[in-house]
Amino acid sequence: MTMFDFSCNEEACDLPDWFVPLAFNGKRHNEKIEGSNSDTHTWRMKDRMKTVSVALVLCLNVGVDPPDIIKTQPCARLECWIDPLSLVPQKALDSIAAALQKQYEKWQPRARYKHSLDPTVDEVKRLCTSLRRNAKDERVLFHYNGHGVPKPTANGEIWVFNKTYTQYIPLSIYDLQQWMGAPSIYVYDCSCAGLIVDSFEVFAKQHEREFELLINNSKTPYDGPPLPSYSSCIQLAACSATQILPMNPDLPADLFTSCLTTPVNIALKWFVLQSKNKLLPDITMDLIDQIPGQVSDRRTMLGELNWIFTAITDTIAWNVLPKETFQRLFRQDLLVASLFRNFLLAERIMRYYNCTPVSSPPLPSTYHHPMWQAWDLAVDLCLAQLPDILKDPLHVNYSYSPFFSEQLTAFQVWLSSVHNHNSVPEQLPIVLQVLLSQVHRLRALELLGRFLDLGPWAVNLALSVGIFPYVLKLLQSSARELRPLLVFIWAKVLAVDCTCQSELVRDGGFKYFLGVL
């Protein structure tokens, strides 16, 4: 049978009935009609919280080495970048505690900080119970530096002192759990710190069993407070149960704490220490302390390096962790998110010195992630400018890193080659970081719009990584060139998650769209 060639000027009425094109015969007309099968909106944190109290417990006993660790000579000495032997012991202890508080305050300035220096068991108890009472249902952080006491025991004990400092006194993790309650986060900077994590989990289960027995054996219905969820507490430990902290004299003694609280500083100094980086022979450890700028100012070298570090560690976590774990550790609490981003750096640096940091919940290994190579390149390009800038700061300007521009290009390449939603762009968290920059914002919004246009799965993915507060804040911008992009992006977001309407009404964001109309 010969197929007819239907030209535009041919009358359909002149065709035999069986050759007349069928109307309403497209796929969308023949498909079975089903209700919307939208994904559950898990990107919103139902139990967002903050760390409101911090206990800094330092057992340093300056000038006296613990009996079970033989230190090398020379040995790592710096605590919070202070040499304790350069001051009288009590002055050194006070200075280190004050410096540690300042380091934490960069990440959580509004928390309530309390020191317990070379304490007794009773002093630790009073401190922890007081902070828990004031924190109520919010999170409390317990930071333990045990560099001046013996290693933790296999029975689940850490060490403090008696009142006259003539004996080391054991403090049971079982008791510490009760005093701290939940939710809590613990940081252990001492040798064999993994023992504490193991003991903590054992005691958490013991508390649960004892609570069940109490209820079951009670003759009357139990109407007391519920058992704190000890098993959900977060722990960060400097090394595994059998490892000793590094003693390299080029490193600080509190290397783990340095990674958690001053990540860019220790990352740059560790970069300089690496023998493979001899392409920059003029860069010394002393020059690192002279890098111009502030961590909070992204227009300076130090600020941009901190911004790049945040983007990279966030990206590594988002690509490696299950989405629920990422939401809990990196989006629920600002201080916890900062500590876990910095923990990724601690794993990278401390593994180099045969120490494996431990966390609970445990994280997959990330020290070999390819994004670390992007960090090394960014550091290399920035530090190459440092000698000239320091020699003539008035006439030599800092050239911004190409890192974010290159990552946007990588995202653009991904968009041009994507074929299905099983492929996930690893640069997505970086794209959201770039929305903070006026230089790259227009391009980032354009690429983000193209990504959201791929379908509801892309919108949910962007929401899970944290797009919402960024695009909500951008509604305050008066830039006309952003209007069509923001309208398109918000249309995609609202089409997938209509609950976002409430923020538009509450914050007055809907007025932005009225202005466009």
Side-chain angles (χ1 to χ4, degrees):
M1 182 181 296
T2 304
M3 298 296 294
F4 288 89
D5 180 24
F6 302 130
S7 59
C8 60
N9 58 3
E10 188 172 9
E11 297 291 340
C13 58
D14 295 335
L15 297 175
D17 290 345
W18 54 86
F19 287 114
V20 174
L22 293 177
F24 303 106
N25 197 39
K27 182 180 179 181
R28 65 183 184 278
H29 300 298
N30 294 327
E31 288 178 327
K32 183 180 179 181
I33 298 177
E34 296 180 351
S36 175
N37 186 22
S38 59
D39 296 332
T40 304
H41 306 302
T42 58
W43 62 274
R44 290 184 185 273
M45 293 304 303
K46 297 180 181 179
D47 52 349
R48 185 180 294 277
M49 64 177 61
K50 57 185 176 180
T51 302
V52 297
S53 299
V54 178
L56 303 178
V57 179
L58 307 184
C59 298
L60 294 178
N61 200 14
V62 176
V64 180
D65 292 336
D68 58 347
I69 294 181
I70 300 175
K71 293 188 176 182
T72 60
Q73 293 300 330
C75 185
R77 293 202 319 215
L78 298 183
E79 301 277 357
C80 296
W81 306 105
I82 296 172
D83 184 351
L85 300 184
S86 65
L87 303 168
V88 296
Q90 188 58 46
K91 180 67 174 177
L93 193 58
D94 293 338
S95 299
I96 292 168
L100 181 59
Q101 177 173 332
K102 287 183 179 179
Q103 290 174 190
Y104 267 111
E105 283 175 340
K106 292 179 181 178
W107 309 105
Q108 178 55 290
R110 297 183 180 179
R112 180 187 185 194
Y113 291 87
K114 292 291 182 180
H115 307 165
S116 190
L117 311 181
D118 288 348
T120 64
V121 172
D122 289 338
E123 288 170 348
V124 175
K125 179 180 180 180
R126 285 196 297 270
L127 172 65
C128 295
T129 53
S130 171
L131 292 181
R132 170 48 60 198
R133 184 169 56 251
N134 290 307
K136 297 181 180 178
D137 295 328
E138 297 287 0
R139 184 174 278 126
V140 178
L141 186 147
F142 180 87
H143 180 104
Y144 175 73
N145 180 320
H147 296 173
V149 291
K151 295 176 287 189
T153 70
N155 295 326
E157 297 162 326
I158 57 177
W159 296 93
V160 290
F161 302 92
N162 63 355
K163 290 184 178 180
T164 57
Y165 299 103
T166 57
Q167 286 182 315
Y168 301 110
I169 305 297
L171 188 161
S172 174
I173 299 300
Y174 178 90
D175 294 332
L176 183 62
Q177 283 181 337
Q178 288 186 308
W179 304 337
M180 285 287 293
S184 297
I185 176 172
Y186 298 80
V187 176
Y188 313 122
D189 192 339
C190 59
S191 295
C192 303
L195 278 175
I196 309 176
V197 177
D198 297 338
S199 300
F200 192 99
E201 295 173 355
V202 172
F203 290 140
K205 294 177 181 178
Q206 182 178 338
H207 277 296
E208 292 174 0
R209 291 194 300 269
E210 292 173 352
F211 186 73
E212 290 177 2
L213 287 174
L214 174 65
I215 295 177
N216 294 335
N217 295 335
S218 177
K219 296 181 180 179
T220 59
Y222 178 78
D223 60 352
L227 177 71
S229 180
Y230 298 120
S231 57
S232 65
C233 290
I234 298 170
Q235 301 177 83
L236 300 174
C239 57
S240 70
T242 58
Q243 293 174 334
I244 304 298
L245 294 180
M247 301 185 190
N248 188 326
D250 294 326
L251 301 171
D254 62 343
L255 178 59
F256 185 62
T257 297
S258 298
C259 290
L260 294 184
T261 58
T262 57
V264 174
N265 190 15
I266 189 62
L268 296 178
K269 290 185 175 180
W270 182 70
F271 181 86
V272 172
L273 284 174
Q274 304 311 298
S275 59
K276 64 183 179 180
N277 297 317
K278 294 305 182 183
L279 293 176
L280 299 173
D282 297 332
I283 305 298
T284 64
M285 298 281 276
D286 293 335
L287 286 184
I288 298 300
D289 293 325
Q290 301 177 47
I291 292 178
Q294 299 292 329
V295 170
S296 57
D297 187 354
R298 295 191 297 269
R299 297 169 297 178
T300 64
M301 179 187 292
L302 189 60
E304 187 176 44
L305 282 170
N306 182 69
W307 186 23
I308 293 172
F309 176 83
T310 301
I312 285 178
T313 48
D314 219 40
T315 299
I316 292 174
W318 187 74
N319 281 281
V320 169
L321 298 179
K323 293 298 177 279
E324 289 185 3
T325 304
F326 177 81
Q327 289 288 326
R328 179 191 171 201
L329 300 181
F330 288 82
R331 292 294 182 265
Q332 184 190 59
D333 181 321
L334 290 177
L335 179 58
V336 170
S338 299
L339 291 178
F340 267 95
R341 278 197 298 268
N342 303 342
F343 180 81
L344 303 185
L345 174 70
E347 186 204 12
R348 187 188 190 208
I349 293 180
M350 299 194 71
R351 271 183 174 269
Y352 186 84
Y353 299 101
N354 300 315
C355 273
T356 306
V358 178
S359 70
S360 177
L363 302 185
S365 181
T366 60
Y367 71 97
H368 55 277
H369 195 280
M371 285 302 296
W372 284 121
Q373 297 177 15
W375 165 251
D376 289 339
L377 177 59
V379 170
D380 203 42
L381 295 175
C382 288
L383 292 186
Q385 306 176 52
L386 186 58
D388 292 336
I389 292 176
L390 293 178
K391 287 179 184 177
D392 191 3
L394 296 178
H395 299 94
V396 179
N397 295 322
Y398 169 60
S399 297
Y400 294 114
S401 170
F403 170 79
F404 289 106
S405 178
E406 291 171 350
Q407 293 299 316
L408 287 179
T409 300
F411 185 52
Q412 186 174 355
V413 170
W414 182 91
L415 285 171
S416 63
S417 60
V418 64
H419 297 293
N420 58 70
H421 64 268
N422 293 323
S423 173
V424 176
E426 71 173 15
Q427 301 86 9
L428 192 55
I430 297 177
V431 174
L432 300 188
Q433 284 284 333
V434 173
L435 293 179
L436 297 171
S437 167
Q438 291 185 350
V439 177
H440 304 293
R441 184 175 295 158
L442 186 63
R443 184 185 178 197
L445 284 174
E446 180 184 352
L447 295 175
L448 181 60
R450 285 177 56 187
F451 176 69
L452 299 183
D453 201 29
L454 295 177
W457 67 270
V459 176
N460 281 318
L461 205 60
L463 290 172
S464 73
V465 81
I467 179 185
F468 187 73
Y470 290 81
V471 293
L472 185 63
K473 188 175 181 65
L474 283 177
L475 294 182
Q476 301 173 14
S477 172
S478 58
R480 298 184 65 87
E481 64 271 16
L482 301 183
R483 288 183 176 182
L485 296 171
L486 285 174
V487 168
F488 181 83
I489 288 171
W490 268 97
K492 291 294 181 181
V493 170
L494 292 174
V496 173
D497 189 350
C498 60
T499 63
C500 296
Q501 295 176 6
S502 60
E503 278 85 359
L504 285 180
V505 174
R506 186 186 64 212
D507 299 336
F510 66 93
K511 297 177 182 178
Y512 182 88
F513 303 104
L514 291 177
V516 174
L517 295 174

